[in-house]
DNA sequence: CCAAAAGTGTTACAAATACACCCATGG
DNA sequence: CCATGGGTGTATTTGTAACACTTTTGG
């Protein structure tokens, strides 16, 4: 192992920031925290932190998310690195941005306490520090883009969910409405859903069957997920 | 402007590495250079460099590319940031990876001299330093992914090109064969191509009409680019 | 005139959309 | 018994894929 360093090069702090998405059955939401550091202490921001000496960015993102939510093995994806020299007013900091998808209900309790964290609708959230607003916008676009061809939105739902709930999630993510008949048939045609015996009767008198993701066929049928979103053109 | 710094945080050198794609009419190629720095001086690597104090990563990538090729306003896109703590044997370095698309013929001369740069087929290139091999693989996938729904491969072709040439480019990028009739009709149906009056007769006796990208209708018709690649499932 | 590549036409099939209709049940 | 949301059926239209066919022209 060499001990020499690259001479005459600048070095910067490198951070990870996480856009955490959740879905409460009504609205797509993001999780924000009140910033603990100066500058701008107390302002709303994304959950983030610096990359430590012996961890990768992925590991840092996992650590930060576990710290905030108490959750491990969360879906997360690096999507862009923000590098404008003056993006952080304190000191030049490179930020590697991630988005995460979590089941909001399952973990609602464990979250809110620690960091003064709070869920906000993606359509109405407070002003954020630095370029975090830009990060959120980009994360939302990436989520739309990715979900046209990958079965990732299930990560936002409980283990058992109904097709009408799934549809309302898609409608909220894509800010549009789908025909229920066509939506249902497309989803079922992927072979990804396993029908359960029980129904959810909270939403209607007839009740809607619960489904689970079929993890056995998950990998084999993932490619069928293409074209699930009508007119994906608009989101790409 | 605050002069205070984040205390007790590690700082790392931050680099940009570029995967430069070109197409010579036969094969999709990448541009590699012989590394000028220790360690591993003289080994094949991607073109890269450190991010300077007053530039963003985008600016650094443009600068590095202009330096290597003499070209400005090249298509480039940040696609992933590589962060494994030991990826660089000299010193921990974060690398923000970009891919670029250039018209190989137009600039072939100005390139090769400066940095001992050389084009290699994407199917057969030498072993690369650090994690650069991984970067190339990921860039290739991203190119395939993106080009299923965005008209970016034109960046690899001269201003005037024939549909058979365009087809062979697509076939090379996706490592498959397309029906020429269907391919031609799909491309023309986008409204993105302007037929020219002259033909390219180098490839056949009949000759193939040249086309140009219709930059007026480019933005309006971009969305039509979806589904141009048969079975895009395989590449997503 | 013929080989070889460019380009067009045709047909069978698969898919997406729109929308009408039936189902189940709590109140 | 009826309003309400869940779920199914189906006709129309559109898109896709395969492949046969015509065109052009240098040698």
């Amino acid at each position: 192992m060499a001990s020499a360093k690259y001479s005459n090069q600048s070095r910067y702090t490198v951070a990870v920031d996480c856009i955490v998405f959740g879905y409460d059955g009504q609205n797509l939401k993001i999780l924000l925290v009140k910033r603990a550091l100066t500058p701008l202490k107390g302002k709303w921001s994304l959950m983030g932190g610096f990359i430590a000496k012996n961890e990768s960015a992925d590991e840092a993102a996992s650590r930060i998310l576990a710290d905030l939510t108490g959750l491990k093995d969360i879906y997360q994806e690096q999507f862009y690195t923000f590098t404008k020299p003056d993006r952080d007013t304190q000191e030049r900091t490179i930020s590697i941005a991630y988005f995460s998808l979590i089941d909001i209900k399952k973990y609602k309790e464990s979250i809110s306490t620690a960091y003064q964290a709070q869920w906000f609708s993606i359509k109405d959230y407070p002003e954020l520090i630095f370029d975090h607003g830009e990060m959120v916008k980009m994360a939302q676009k990436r989520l739309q883009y990715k979900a046209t061809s990958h079965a990732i939105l299930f990560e936002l739902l409980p283990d058992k969910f109904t097709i009408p709930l799934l549809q309302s999630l898609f409608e909220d993510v894509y800010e549009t409405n789908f025909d229920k008949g066509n939506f249902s048939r497309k989803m079922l045609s992927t072979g990804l859903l396993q029908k359960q015996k029980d129904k959810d009767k909270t939403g209607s008198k007839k009740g809607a069957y619960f489904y689970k993701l079929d993890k056995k066929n998950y990998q084999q049928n993932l490619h069928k997920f293409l074209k699930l979103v009508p007119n994906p053109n608009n989101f790409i």
Side-chain angles (χ1 to χ4, degrees), chain A residues 7 29 31 41 63-64 66 72 74 84 98 121 161 207:
Chain A
S7 53
K29 303 203 158 188
L31 189 60
K41 189 170 173 175
R63 169 176 58 77
I64 287 161
K72 296 191 175 184
I74 296 298
K84 280 211 289 277
Y98 282 74
S121 164
F161 52 86

Side-chain angles (χ1 to χ4, degrees), chain A residues 42-102:
Chain A
K43 300 276 183 188
W44 288 106
S45 90
L46 294 170
M47 185 71 185
F50 294 100
I51 297 183
K53 274 208 159 48
N54 286 306
E55 68 185 358
S56 66
D58 280 6
E59 287 161 356
S62 297
R63 169 176 58 77
I64 287 161
L65 208 63
D67 204 25
L68 173 67
T69 66
L71 302 175
K72 296 191 175 184
D73 298 322
I74 296 298
Y75 181 90
Q76 64 175 28
E77 181 174 336
Q78 184 199 305
F79 71 93
Y80 199 72
T81 298
F82 292 79
T83 63
K84 280 211 289 277
D86 57 355
R87 52 172 297 283
D88 187 319
T89 53
Q90 178 91 338
E91 167 183 357
R92 180 163 190 180
T93 301
I94 306 292
S95 173
I96 305 174
Y98 282 74
F99 71 83
S100 307
L101 306 177
I102 78 175

Side-chain angles (χ1 to χ4, degrees), chain A residues 182-193 221 224-226 228:
Chain A
N182 297 333
F183 184 88
S184 163
R185 239 163 317 154
K186 278 190 196 178
M187 283 295 162
L188 294 174
S189 77
T190 61
L192 288 173
L193 301 186
N221 291 328
K224 291 192 185 165
F225 207 73
L226 210 73
L228 266 180

Side-chain angles (χ1 to χ4, degrees), chain A residues 17-46:
Chain A
D17 284 304
C18 299
I19 292 89
V20 181
F21 288 104
Y23 182 64
D24 65 359
Q26 309 291 328
N27 290 111
L28 186 65
K29 303 203 158 188
I30 52 173
L31 189 60
L32 302 175
V33 300
K34 287 201 175 177
R35 181 169 161 95
L37 292 178
T38 55
L40 302 175
K41 189 170 173 175
K43 300 276 183 188
W44 288 106
S45 90
L46 294 170

Side-chain angles (χ1 to χ4, degrees), chain A residues 144-184:
Chain A
Q144 291 180 333
Y145 185 18
K146 180 106 184 191
T148 58
S149 53
H150 297 80
I152 57 172
L153 295 181
F154 298 97
E155 302 285 342
L156 293 166
L157 297 176
D159 291 341
K160 275 169 41 175
F161 52 86
T162 67
I163 291 187
L165 181 68
L166 187 61
Q167 181 173 346
S168 70
L169 168 58
F170 270 77
E171 291 182 340
D172 209 58
V173 168
Y174 292 105
E175 294 175 320
T176 185
N177 293 309
F178 303 136
D179 178 276
K180 62 182 175 171
N182 297 333
F183 184 88
S184 163

